[in-house]
Amino acid sequence: MGTIVPSQRLAAAVRAQLAPLQERAAARPGIGAPAEGTRRKPHEVSVAMARRIAALAPEDPDRPRKAVRIYLEAELAREFGAGLLNDPQFPALLDAVQERMQEDAQTAGAVAALARLLLAGKPRAA
């Protein structure tokens, strides 16, 4: 029998926490995915995410956590629908996800590696 990877546990926890948000978004017309003509392509989302990360001040000591948060926002919106970004409870969900990721040493190490990867590009000029 295989072991459960921490990221699988995290994904299951995120799905459980997102279920009520998705149900509320589905119940409200116009809150879900954008109209066909305004839907953003994955490349556009990646470029926007990269720009937001690049805009983080290089001297900000919280820069790694903020970069991971931007990445999580983009991935959760891609996976569960952009309507989540407008939900007033979404920031609290992101806080909970990031806290949960730090609780497990292996996952926290992966998050630190992700932050280094996200911030490996050239820092913006001050």
Side-chain angles (χ1 to χ4, degrees):
M1 181 185 290
T3 60
I4 297 177
V5 178
S7 60
Q8 291 173 333
R9 287 193 316 248
L10 178 62
V14 169
R15 282 188 187 91
Q17 290 182 3
L18 280 175
L21 296 179
Q22 286 181 294
E23 290 170 9
R24 273 202 317 270
R28 293 184 291 194
I31 298 294
E36 193 63 38
T38 62
R39 190 169 304 203
R40 292 173 67 183
K41 296 177 183 170
H43 174 71
E44 292 171 342
V45 172
S46 296
V47 169
M49 180 184 66
R51 284 185 181 144
R52 288 181 62 201
I53 291 171
L56 296 172
E59 66 278 358
D60 185 347
D62 209 20
R63 191 171 179 240
R65 186 194 65 75
K66 290 176 180 178
V68 170
R69 186 179 185 95
I70 291 167
Y71 175 81
L72 286 173
E73 286 177 4
E75 285 301 305
L76 290 173
R78 182 187 58 77
E79 179 71 23
F80 298 103
L84 288 176
L85 298 173
N86 299 324
D87 192 296
Q89 293 180 354
F90 189 61
L93 173 73
L94 285 172
D95 291 341
V97 167
Q98 284 193 287
E99 286 175 24
R100 189 87 183 253
M101 292 169 80
Q102 294 303 317
E103 290 173 0
D104 178 83
Q106 187 176 359
T107 304
V111 168
L114 172 62
R116 286 190 300 275
L117 180 66
L118 292 170
L119 296 170
K122 295 180 182 180
R124 71 178 176 91

